[in-house]
Amino acid sequence: MAMLVRFYLVKGKYGARLVLDWPPGSPEALALEKGERPLRPKRAFHYILKETAAEGRGKSSDKTPLVVFESHVGLGATCWSYLQDKLDGKLSTLAYQRYGYGWSSDPDWKSPRTTEECATDLHLLLVSLGFVASQPGDDQDKETAAATARQRARAQSRKPSARDAHQRPIIFVGHAFGSAVVQSYMAIYRPANVVGIVMLDPTPVDMFSKYPAIADWTTKRLSGVMRTGSALADLGLLRIASLFGLSMLQMTKPLRERLGVASVYSLREISFDGRSLRTMALEMEGFAASMEQIKRDTDALASTASTAPLGRPLVQDKQQRAAEDAPVVAGVVVTVAKVEQPIVDVGLSPDDWKRQWYVWQREMAGLVNTHPKLKLAISSAAASDSDSDNDDDGGRKKAAAMPTADRPHGVVIMDDQSTSLELCASESVLDALQLLLNVTGSSVQVRPKA
């Protein structure tokens, strides 16, 4: 059967680009065929919200937690489809695409994109859906660094809003870069109805400052690859290259099987989209600066007001009061046993880097956990053997770190079956969510009882 492959020449903000009608009938190509220009809304998100049958959006009487997923760089909302299906009917879930990806609106193309800017966008989405209460200043321009700074200053000098507590409890799940977005969100807004945070392979706050070569590779070389890829994508060359097995997004067979054909196709479309690749470049260019700001905000996210995170001295007055007023949040980290060695030389052997990575992950877990019940459980578990790993029936491991003055309370779930990219569809995330549900007093069961 003959198949007609058509190209359309589209004039945009960055010059002309070719649009390939493949597969036939894509929304953009159909709009062009009708003589329409497929414009995205100026300020809009593409999101996937799955409510349980008994719940209503943002109802104050609803005590069942909402799980909000925050994706890694280059991944869209559909990367969470496996977990959303697993949680369907048990917990409400929200997955979305940040500005610049898929059918979400364009970001500010003028400067590198920081996690703070992503956090302010996330806040506006949650406010518009009724999941968090609006705050003074939300109507300010969020596309400038000055507005973000004002938001941070306001957050550091105020207690969590009492009206936030009337909203539905929220559990954030952030993947790598998405974990940094969640950390920035908590540092800026700190809504009282956030009861838990799950971070999947989070980037350590001091990795870029300790190893400048990694920062340079991420913000310059990797972002440069993305910009080159965006130019090739605008010409349709990346899509043609995919016919020969070449792609900007390499998904493993287990990940493809878990996500399904539709989700995999959606994620591959992002890797063929020049606009999405430019957004990836902007996020990479601002990543090191974002982690530096998060490092400065660690006192507001410390485990307790009397413990210095990562061995840093306490900041007095305003930031210390912010730590004391921070909402109680149960935090868990999920990381992988298959730790990947950095592409650049950092002067560490693979084994030394792996040990360093695990130390970082435990510190990151302690950074976000302020829940006294989880601290007590960790202290009891760690008292017998702080460095032992216990296998569970699913092949995953849970390691509890002994809380000390220089190592705050934190729990890490070790996944020895997944790669870092596969964590967005890992059963270990369900283990982490069940732990947080148990600690926060929820009766919901997302994992079968032992």
PDB file of all heavy atoms in Angstrom, residues 4-5 16 28 69 116 129 133 169 182 209 216 268 280 309 390 408 414-415 428 441 445:
ATOM      1  N   LEU A   4       1.783   8.294   1.401  1.00  0.00           N
ATOM      2  CA  LEU A   4       2.251   9.620   1.040  1.00  0.00           C
ATOM      3  C   LEU A   4       2.872  10.284   2.266  1.00  0.00           C
ATOM      4  O   LEU A   4       2.220  10.413   3.299  1.00  0.00           O
ATOM      5  CB  LEU A   4       1.097  10.476   0.513  1.00  0.00           C
ATOM      6  CG  LEU A   4       1.455  11.918   0.117  1.00  0.00           C
ATOM      7  CD1 LEU A   4       2.466  11.909  -1.024  1.00  0.00           C
ATOM      8  CD2 LEU A   4       0.198  12.682  -0.274  1.00  0.00           C
ATOM      9  N   VAL A   5       4.135  10.652   2.152  1.00  0.00           N
ATOM     10  CA  VAL A   5       4.827  11.374   3.225  1.00  0.00           C
ATOM     11  C   VAL A   5       4.938  12.829   2.814  1.00  0.00           C
ATOM     12  O   VAL A   5       5.503  13.149   1.774  1.00  0.00           O
ATOM     13  CB  VAL A   5       6.232  10.778   3.484  1.00  0.00           C
ATOM     14  CG1 VAL A   5       6.931  11.544   4.579  1.00  0.00           C
ATOM     15  CG2 VAL A   5       6.118   9.304   3.854  1.00  0.00           C
ATOM     16  N   ALA A  16      12.234  29.422   9.524  1.00  0.00           N
ATOM     17  CA  ALA A  16      11.410  28.373   8.930  1.00  0.00           C
ATOM     18  C   ALA A  16      11.877  26.999   9.398  1.00  0.00           C
ATOM     19  O   ALA A  16      13.049  26.778   9.706  1.00  0.00           O
ATOM     20  CB  ALA A  16      11.474  28.456   7.417  1.00  0.00           C
ATOM     21  N   GLU A  28      -0.513  18.494  14.334  1.00  0.00           N
ATOM     22  CA  GLU A  28       0.090  19.674  13.733  1.00  0.00           C
ATOM     23  C   GLU A  28      -0.062  19.641  12.219  1.00  0.00           C
ATOM     24  O   GLU A  28      -0.401  20.647  11.589  1.00  0.00           O
ATOM     25  CB  GLU A  28       1.567  19.757  14.126  1.00  0.00           C
ATOM     26  CG  GLU A  28       2.214  21.075  13.739  1.00  0.00           C
ATOM     27  CD  GLU A  28       3.599  21.218  14.336  1.00  0.00           C
ATOM     28  OE1 GLU A  28       4.149  20.218  14.823  1.00  0.00           O
ATOM     29  OE2 GLU A  28       4.126  22.331  14.298  1.00  0.00           O
ATOM     30  N   PHE A  69       3.418  14.276  40.186  1.00  0.00           N
ATOM     31  CA  PHE A  69       4.670  13.812  39.590  1.00  0.00           C
ATOM     32  C   PHE A  69       5.393  14.972  38.899  1.00  0.00           C
ATOM     33  O   PHE A  69       4.774  15.765  38.185  1.00  0.00           O
ATOM     34  CB  PHE A  69       4.399  12.708  38.567  1.00  0.00           C
ATOM     35  CG  PHE A  69       3.834  11.448  39.158  1.00  0.00           C
ATOM     36  CD1 PHE A  69       2.484  11.137  39.016  1.00  0.00           C
ATOM     37  CD2 PHE A  69       4.646  10.565  39.845  1.00  0.00           C
ATOM     38  CE1 PHE A  69       1.957   9.972  39.555  1.00  0.00           C
ATOM     39  CE2 PHE A  69       4.128   9.391  40.396  1.00  0.00           C
ATOM     40  CZ  PHE A  69       2.786   9.104  40.253  1.00  0.00           C
ATOM     41  N   GLU A 116      13.686  27.221  40.043  1.00  0.00           N
ATOM     42  CA  GLU A 116      12.794  28.178  40.703  1.00  0.00           C
ATOM     43  C   GLU A 116      11.681  28.622  39.761  1.00  0.00           C
ATOM     44  O   GLU A 116      10.523  28.735  40.155  1.00  0.00           O
ATOM     45  CB  GLU A 116      13.592  29.387  41.179  1.00  0.00           C
ATOM     46  CG  GLU A 116      14.511  29.086  42.345  1.00  0.00           C
ATOM     47  CD  GLU A 116      15.292  30.322  42.744  1.00  0.00           C
ATOM     48  OE1 GLU A 116      15.797  31.018  41.845  1.00  0.00           O
ATOM     49  OE2 GLU A 116      15.388  30.584  43.940  1.00  0.00           O
ATOM     50  N   LEU A 129      -5.857  24.420  39.655  1.00  0.00           N
ATOM     51  CA  LEU A 129      -6.628  23.191  39.814  1.00  0.00           C
ATOM     52  C   LEU A 129      -7.269  23.077  41.194  1.00  0.00           C
ATOM     53  O   LEU A 129      -8.000  22.117  41.461  1.00  0.00           O
ATOM     54  CB  LEU A 129      -5.734  21.971  39.563  1.00  0.00           C
ATOM     55  CG  LEU A 129      -5.201  21.804  38.133  1.00  0.00           C
ATOM     56  CD1 LEU A 129      -4.254  20.614  38.051  1.00  0.00           C
ATOM     57  CD2 LEU A 129      -6.346  21.632  37.154  1.00  0.00           C
ATOM     58  N   ALA A 133      -3.676  26.645  48.015  1.00  0.00           N
ATOM     59  CA  ALA A 133      -4.263  27.972  48.111  1.00  0.00           C
ATOM     60  C   ALA A 133      -3.334  28.997  47.468  1.00  0.00           C
ATOM     61  O   ALA A 133      -2.105  28.862  47.501  1.00  0.00           O
ATOM     62  CB  ALA A 133      -4.513  28.341  49.572  1.00  0.00           C
ATOM     63  N   PRO A 169      -4.201  16.717  51.126  1.00  0.00           N
ATOM     64  CA  PRO A 169      -2.772  16.412  51.313  1.00  0.00           C
ATOM     65  C   PRO A 169      -2.113  16.073  49.983  1.00  0.00           C
ATOM     66  O   PRO A 169      -2.706  15.412  49.128  1.00  0.00           O
ATOM     67  CB  PRO A 169      -2.788  15.214  52.268  1.00  0.00           C
ATOM     68  CG  PRO A 169      -4.119  15.273  52.948  1.00  0.00           C
ATOM     69  CD  PRO A 169      -5.070  15.865  51.948  1.00  0.00           C
ATOM     70  N   VAL A 182      10.994  20.190  42.926  1.00  0.00           N
ATOM     71  CA  VAL A 182      10.213  20.028  44.153  1.00  0.00           C
ATOM     72  C   VAL A 182      10.905  20.719  45.325  1.00  0.00           C
ATOM     73  O   VAL A 182      10.255  21.380  46.148  1.00  0.00           O
ATOM     74  CB  VAL A 182       9.988  18.532  44.448  1.00  0.00           C
ATOM     75  CG1 VAL A 182       9.360  18.340  45.822  1.00  0.00           C
ATOM     76  CG2 VAL A 182       9.120  17.900  43.373  1.00  0.00           C
ATOM     77  N   SER A 209      29.227  21.949  42.731  1.00  0.00           N
ATOM     78  CA  SER A 209      30.266  22.778  43.360  1.00  0.00           C
ATOM     79  C   SER A 209      31.497  21.941  43.717  1.00  0.00           C
ATOM     80  O   SER A 209      32.623  22.448  43.690  1.00  0.00           O
ATOM     81  CB  SER A 209      29.704  23.450  44.616  1.00  0.00           C
ATOM     82  OG  SER A 209      29.250  22.478  45.549  1.00  0.00           O
ATOM     83  N   ASP A 216      30.352  21.888  34.256  1.00  0.00           N
ATOM     84  CA  ASP A 216      30.716  22.417  32.944  1.00  0.00           C
ATOM     85  C   ASP A 216      30.171  21.528  31.831  1.00  0.00           C
ATOM     86  O   ASP A 216      29.644  22.022  30.828  1.00  0.00           O
ATOM     87  CB  ASP A 216      32.242  22.516  32.840  1.00  0.00           C
ATOM     88  CG  ASP A 216      32.690  23.121  31.519  1.00  0.00           C
ATOM     89  OD1 ASP A 216      32.561  24.345  31.362  1.00  0.00           O
ATOM     90  OD2 ASP A 216      33.174  22.362  30.650  1.00  0.00           O
ATOM     91  N   ARG A 268       8.801   9.676  22.599  1.00  0.00           N
ATOM     92  CA  ARG A 268       9.675   9.792  21.430  1.00  0.00           C
ATOM     93  C   ARG A 268       9.357  11.058  20.633  1.00  0.00           C
ATOM     94  O   ARG A 268      10.254  11.665  20.039  1.00  0.00           O
ATOM     95  CB  ARG A 268       9.541   8.562  20.545  1.00  0.00           C
ATOM     96  CG  ARG A 268      10.157   7.301  21.131  1.00  0.00           C
ATOM     97  CD  ARG A 268      10.302   6.223  20.076  1.00  0.00           C
ATOM     98  NE  ARG A 268      10.842   4.998  20.620  1.00  0.00           N
ATOM     99  CZ  ARG A 268      12.149   4.770  20.823  1.00  0.00           C
ATOM    100  NH1 ARG A 268      13.018   5.719  20.529  1.00  0.00           N
ATOM    101  NH2 ARG A 268      12.556   3.614  21.317  1.00  0.00           N
ATOM    102  N   MET A 280      15.067  21.605  26.855  1.00  0.00           N
ATOM    103  CA  MET A 280      16.041  20.783  27.564  1.00  0.00           C
ATOM    104  C   MET A 280      17.372  21.511  27.701  1.00  0.00           C
ATOM    105  O   MET A 280      18.009  21.467  28.766  1.00  0.00           O
ATOM    106  CB  MET A 280      16.232  19.457  26.834  1.00  0.00           C
ATOM    107  CG  MET A 280      14.995  18.571  26.834  1.00  0.00           C
ATOM    108  SD  MET A 280      15.122  17.144  25.707  1.00  0.00           S
ATOM    109  CE  MET A 280      16.508  16.289  26.412  1.00  0.00           C
ATOM    110  N   PRO A 309      22.456  20.790  57.947  1.00  0.00           N
ATOM    111  CA  PRO A 309      22.489  19.832  56.848  1.00  0.00           C
ATOM    112  C   PRO A 309      23.819  19.872  56.116  1.00  0.00           C
ATOM    113  O   PRO A 309      24.405  20.933  55.916  1.00  0.00           O
ATOM    114  CB  PRO A 309      21.344  20.301  55.946  1.00  0.00           C
ATOM    115  CG  PRO A 309      21.208  21.749  56.236  1.00  0.00           C
ATOM    116  CD  PRO A 309      21.553  21.912  57.686  1.00  0.00           C
ATOM    117  N   ASN A 390      18.908  -4.505  53.759  1.00  0.00           N
ATOM    118  CA  ASN A 390      18.022  -5.642  53.947  1.00  0.00           C
ATOM    119  C   ASN A 390      17.224  -5.887  52.693  1.00  0.00           C
ATOM    120  O   ASN A 390      16.494  -5.020  52.242  1.00  0.00           O
ATOM    121  CB  ASN A 390      17.081  -5.367  55.124  1.00  0.00           C
ATOM    122  CG  ASN A 390      17.845  -5.145  56.419  1.00  0.00           C
ATOM    123  OD1 ASN A 390      18.772  -5.891  56.717  1.00  0.00           O
ATOM    124  ND2 ASN A 390      17.468  -4.118  57.169  1.00  0.00           N
ATOM    125  N   PRO A 408      21.912  13.854  58.742  1.00  0.00           N
ATOM    126  CA  PRO A 408      20.548  13.952  59.248  1.00  0.00           C
ATOM    127  C   PRO A 408      19.731  12.713  58.938  1.00  0.00           C
ATOM    128  O   PRO A 408      20.139  11.849  58.160  1.00  0.00           O
ATOM    129  CB  PRO A 408      19.988  15.183  58.517  1.00  0.00           C
ATOM    130  CG  PRO A 408      20.807  15.291  57.282  1.00  0.00           C
ATOM    131  CD  PRO A 408      22.173  14.788  57.647  1.00  0.00           C
ATOM    132  N   MET A 414      16.645   1.203  47.974  1.00  0.00           N
ATOM    133  CA  MET A 414      17.566   0.830  46.908  1.00  0.00           C
ATOM    134  C   MET A 414      16.852  -0.053  45.892  1.00  0.00           C
ATOM    135  O   MET A 414      16.279  -1.086  46.242  1.00  0.00           O
ATOM    136  CB  MET A 414      18.762   0.082  47.488  1.00  0.00           C
ATOM    137  CG  MET A 414      19.923  -0.027  46.526  1.00  0.00           C
ATOM    138  SD  MET A 414      20.820   1.530  46.442  1.00  0.00           S
ATOM    139  CE  MET A 414      21.489   1.601  48.100  1.00  0.00           C
ATOM    140  N   ASP A 415      16.873   0.339  44.643  1.00  0.00           N
ATOM    141  CA  ASP A 415      16.260  -0.436  43.568  1.00  0.00           C
ATOM    142  C   ASP A 415      17.378  -1.078  42.752  1.00  0.00           C
ATOM    143  O   ASP A 415      18.121  -0.392  42.053  1.00  0.00           O
ATOM    144  CB  ASP A 415      15.400   0.465  42.690  1.00  0.00           C
ATOM    145  CG  ASP A 415      14.553  -0.315  41.694  1.00  0.00           C
ATOM    146  OD1 ASP A 415      15.046  -1.344  41.206  1.00  0.00           O
ATOM    147  OD2 ASP A 415      13.423   0.098  41.409  1.00  0.00           O
ATOM    148  N   SER A 428       9.505   0.324  43.072  1.00  0.00           N
ATOM    149  CA  SER A 428      10.067   0.895  44.284  1.00  0.00           C
ATOM    150  C   SER A 428       9.396   2.206  44.666  1.00  0.00           C
ATOM    151  O   SER A 428       9.363   2.569  45.842  1.00  0.00           O
ATOM    152  CB  SER A 428      11.574   1.122  44.112  1.00  0.00           C
ATOM    153  OG  SER A 428      12.253  -0.100  43.947  1.00  0.00           O
ATOM    154  N   GLY A 441      -0.398   8.332  58.465  1.00  0.00           N
ATOM    155  CA  GLY A 441      -1.671   7.900  59.013  1.00  0.00           C
ATOM    156  C   GLY A 441      -2.754   7.607  58.003  1.00  0.00           C
ATOM    157  O   GLY A 441      -3.923   7.464  58.374  1.00  0.00           O
ATOM    158  N   GLN A 445      -3.888   1.538  50.789  1.00  0.00           N
ATOM    159  CA  GLN A 445      -2.887   0.514  50.528  1.00  0.00           C
ATOM    160  C   GLN A 445      -2.573   0.480  49.042  1.00  0.00           C
ATOM    161  O   GLN A 445      -3.423   0.102  48.230  1.00  0.00           O
ATOM    162  CB  GLN A 445      -3.371  -0.860  51.008  1.00  0.00           C
ATOM    163  CG  GLN A 445      -3.491  -1.012  52.508  1.00  0.00           C
ATOM    164  CD  GLN A 445      -2.150  -0.997  53.205  1.00  0.00           C
ATOM    165  OE1 GLN A 445      -1.162  -1.567  52.696  1.00  0.00           O
ATOM    166  NE2 GLN A 445      -2.070  -0.379  54.353  1.00  0.00           N
TER     167      GLN A 445
END
